[in-house]
Amino acid sequence: MSGLSVGYHGKAILQGLNLSAGKCELVALIGRNGTGKSTLMRTIAYLQPAISGDAIIAGKSLKQYTRSELAGVLSIVSTETVGSLHLSVKQLVAYGRFPYTNWIGRLSDDDKVLIQDAMRLVGIEHLADKNLFEISDGERQKAMIARTIAQDTDLILLDEPTAFLDMPNKYEIIRLLHHFTRVKKKTIIFSTHDLNIAMQEADKLWLMEGRSLHEGAPEDLVLNHQLARIFEGTKLLFDDHRGEFKIKRTDNKSIVLSGEGKVYFWTKKALERMGYKVDKRQDNKLPQSDEVEILEMNPTVWELRHGSQIQKFDSLYSLAKYLLFL
């Protein structure tokens, strides 16, 4: 991009963008609702005009492409619903090959192979003959992604590609997109609210803040505090030591926790979720507050010392419920 400003009716909502996405890169576009993610994606795809500036694709200005030329270098999966739900899955995926078909739209044998491969890669080959109204929202989203894969462009844009998918499928799709960037040498840009997935899979983040964007590796944006800044003024905070987002809580109670390993980690998270400030047990000091000790037993037992009272629990749920009324 070169000084790109996007918006509607001459009014810019994002200004002076100078961002890049290279070959073999998976780029995640992140921002709060209403910040212009879909508008930017539509502008890059030439579905709406830029306010000013330009987007450069394969060394050529977006304005210099004809519609048919652009369909050969760029494909998009939008959040808009499919026009006809009476299409079969295979027919929808086949639309990805239309920029390359002859004047009567006949598919070649090579086209048919690409269509079949696209369905197989996203795991919907068994749905090929189903009509779109017969399948779930998540399966329709996979079919839209398969259509884009079949189009076989160097640049692929996806607006919220995991919006209708359950957790395993969310990770599966983004992992698949990451795979395409490496094996097929694609550039893929996707907008998402799934911040944890983006942090784990994206090579680069485009991070929206106000009317501007910041770009960099996810870890760069953590270290320079850009990621934390976009949540200022909200009930969320980014823990740059754990690499996770948390709800802000007021830690008005203290508790000492002793133990180690995986059980310690999840016990600490459970106590923090309840609003406790968790301190590590110091062997040379007696705790001045309540203490939870993780006993090395099979199964695990949690022992709570409250003053002179000692209670034992066989689950974090039972411990949490007891603490709630303490």
Side-chain angles (χ1 to χ4, degrees), residues 20 26 83 96 119 153 155 163 173 180 183 282 285 289 297 299 303:
S20 65
L26 180 64
M119 290 190 294
T153 58
L155 174 60
I173 288 296
F180 287 148
V183 175
Q282 302 295 323
K285 294 181 181 179
S289 58
M297 300 175 69
E303 186 175 86

Side-chain angles (χ1 to χ4, degrees), residues 106-119:
R106 180 174 294 167
L107 296 169
S108 70
D109 289 342
D110 287 343
D111 291 327
K112 293 175 183 177
V113 169
L114 286 169
I115 292 164
Q116 201 69 24
D117 283 348
M119 290 190 294

Side-chain angles (χ1 to χ4, degrees), residues 50-255:
I51 301 297
S52 61
D54 200 3
I56 310 298
I57 299 175
K60 184 176 175 180
S61 167
L62 187 62
K63 300 169 185 175
Q64 296 175 327
Y65 283 97
T66 65
R67 290 291 179 184
S68 60
E69 288 173 340
L70 194 60
V73 296
L74 179 152
S75 52
I76 183 168
V77 176
S78 72
T79 53
E80 297 173 0
T81 56
V82 181
S84 174
L85 295 179
H86 291 277
L87 288 172
S88 71
V89 168
K90 189 172 184 178
Q91 286 172 325
L92 175 64
V93 177
Y95 278 138
R97 297 307 303 160
F98 281 3
Y100 313 102
T101 57
N102 57 32
W103 65 277
I104 59 173
R106 180 174 294 167
L107 296 169
S108 70
D109 289 342
D110 287 343
D111 291 327
K112 293 175 183 177
V113 169
L114 286 169
I115 292 164
Q116 201 69 24
D117 283 348
M119 290 190 294
R120 178 180 53 79
L121 285 168
V122 300
I124 57 169
E125 201 171 13
H126 63 292
L127 301 173
D129 297 322
K130 291 272 190 181
N131 287 329
L132 296 177
F133 70 82
E134 297 179 287
I135 63 178
S136 69
D137 288 341
E139 289 167 336
R140 275 198 294 274
Q141 188 72 345
K142 285 187 174 184
M144 293 290 288
I145 293 171
R147 184 196 66 178
T148 304
I149 292 168
Q151 194 171 335
D152 197 29
T153 58
D154 287 338
L155 174 60
I156 300 173
L157 307 177
L158 302 104
D159 195 3
E160 292 288 346
T162 62
F164 302 111
L165 302 180
D166 57 25
M167 190 60 69
N169 280 312
K170 286 177 188 284
Y171 278 90
E172 179 187 343
I173 288 296
I174 301 305
R175 181 94 282 250
L176 181 64
L177 296 177
H178 186 276
H179 176 73
F180 287 148
T181 63
R182 301 307 196 261
V183 175
K184 301 291 186 179
K185 312 297 185 197
K186 305 295 185 186
T187 302
I188 300 179
I189 303 168
F190 71 104
S191 62
T192 184
H193 287 102
D194 293 310
L195 298 171
N196 287 329
I197 294 177
M199 292 287 294
Q200 291 181 50
E201 296 292 340
D203 299 297
K204 179 184 283 188
L205 300 185
W206 287 356
L207 188 65
M208 288 187 163
E209 183 185 16
R211 293 192 174 188
S212 60
L213 272 85
H214 308 280
E215 67 175 348
E219 297 78 11
D220 287 328
L221 297 182
V222 170
L223 293 172
N224 64 21
H225 308 295
Q226 293 289 359
L227 200 57
R229 270 198 287 272
I230 68 168
F231 295 100
E232 289 178 354
T234 74
K235 294 182 179 180
L236 274 182
L237 59 84
F238 182 76
D239 185 333
D240 55 11
H241 292 283
R242 292 182 176 177
E244 63 184 19
F245 296 87
K246 300 194 299 187
I247 297 173
K248 292 177 183 175
R249 303 182 190 277
T250 302
D251 299 329
N252 52 15
K253 299 173 286 186
S254 293
I255 197 164

Side-chain angles (χ1 to χ4, degrees), residues 238-305:
F238 182 76
D239 185 333
D240 55 11
H241 292 283
R242 292 182 176 177
E244 63 184 19
F245 296 87
K246 300 194 299 187
I247 297 173
K248 292 177 183 175
R249 303 182 190 277
T250 302
D251 299 329
N252 52 15
K253 299 173 286 186
S254 293
I255 197 164
V256 173
L257 177 62
S258 59
E260 58 185 21
K262 180 172 64 176
V263 179
Y264 178 89
F265 174 82
W266 287 106
T267 304
K268 186 171 185 287
K269 285 182 74 72
L271 293 169
E272 289 173 340
R273 174 170 51 79
M274 295 187 67
Y276 281 94
K277 179 181 181 296
V278 180
D279 295 316
K280 182 78 172 177
R281 173 69 184 268
Q282 302 295 323
D283 292 336
N284 59 342
K285 294 181 181 179
L286 290 174
Q288 301 300 311
S289 58
D290 295 338
E291 179 182 10
V292 173
E293 182 177 0
I294 301 167
L295 303 180
E296 295 297 327
M297 300 175 69
N298 189 16
T300 302
V301 171
W302 289 262
E303 186 175 86
L304 171 66
R305 295 186 181 91

